[in-house]
Amino acid sequence: MSKTKTLIYCGLFTALIAAGAFIKIPVPVVPFTLQFLFTMLAGLLLGSKRGTISVAAYMILGLIGLPIFSEGGGLWYVFKPSFGYIIGFCIGTYVTGLIAERMKEKTIPHYLFANFTGLLIVYGVGMIYYYVICNYVINTPIGVWPLILYCFILAVPGDVCLCILAAFLIKRIKPLLD
């Protein structure tokens, strides 16, 4: 991929992730957004490094003050319990992209495996960060069971649907961009 194409695609996915933050369904604790869909697609289409650059650019732009996170922006956002999911997006995108790069067969089940692996990473990092920030930084304790209930059980069904959607989308889109 040429440097110009890389720059355009990375910028496009940074913008899509930012837009995805505002397409949300309010659920308790962590809002359901389309950010995860766009971070997965970035990893699947752009690969591990370029996809992660897109997500990292989104994170940096939000931290320097652009209101592109689901609840605003600014450096203070690192103290929001949900910021761990944004960190998880970076790591999850890298792993999703890495798995996609190493796939011998580009099939929907293989894409699903990459997506679900990324999903587990996003939720793992997000929930650990949420727990630490709530219990040790901002002094609003949350127990393990409420954390699992609100930050996983209630939130994950929508993202599972996004994993399936992304697998079907990538199967159709990838051949057009190669």
Side-chain angles (χ1 to χ4, degrees):
M1 189 181 301
S2 72
K3 289 182 182 181
T4 304
K5 243 184 184 177
T6 297
L7 184 62
I8 291 168
Y9 284 151
C10 286
L12 174 66
F13 273 98
T14 300
L16 286 170
I17 296 164
F22 296 100
I23 304 168
K24 57 185 165 185
I25 299 169
V27 293
V29 185
V30 180
F32 172 76
T33 68
L34 291 185
Q35 292 169 293
F36 179 64
L37 173 66
F38 296 125
T39 61
M40 268 188 308
L41 289 173
L44 295 171
L45 281 173
L46 304 179
S48 58
K49 292 177 185 166
R50 293 179 184 122
T52 303
I53 288 169
S54 298
V55 180
Y58 164 74
M59 184 168 63
I60 291 166
L61 289 170
L63 287 175
I64 62 172
L66 293 178
I68 58 174
F69 296 146
S70 65
E71 297 177 37
L75 195 53
W76 66 272
Y77 213 84
V78 298
F79 296 110
K80 287 199 63 71
S82 60
F83 184 70
Y85 291 92
I86 296 172
I87 296 168
F89 289 155
C90 283
I91 301 166
T93 298
Y94 182 81
V95 172
T96 300
L98 193 64
I99 292 170
E101 289 166 353
R102 295 182 178 177
M103 278 189 232
K104 291 183 178 151
E105 294 180 44
K106 309 289 187 189
T107 64
I108 289 176
H110 289 115
Y111 286 127
L112 283 171
F113 174 75
N115 293 345
F116 286 130
T117 302
L119 177 74
L120 289 175
I121 290 168
V122 169
Y123 274 87
V125 171
M127 289 171 62
I128 291 168
Y129 193 91
Y130 200 100
Y131 184 85
V132 169
I133 291 295
C134 282
N135 288 310
Y136 302 108
V137 177
I138 61 174
N139 199 27
T140 54
I142 186 168
V144 173
W145 171 244
L147 178 77
I148 292 169
L149 176 64
Y150 291 114
C151 296
F152 185 76
I153 294 172
L154 294 177
V156 82
D159 287 334
V160 167
C161 293
L162 292 180
C163 285
I164 295 166
L165 175 63
F168 281 93
L169 283 174
I170 199 69
K171 186 72 173 150
R172 301 285 292 201
I173 296 170
K174 186 91 167 146
L176 301 174
L177 298 177
D178 286 342

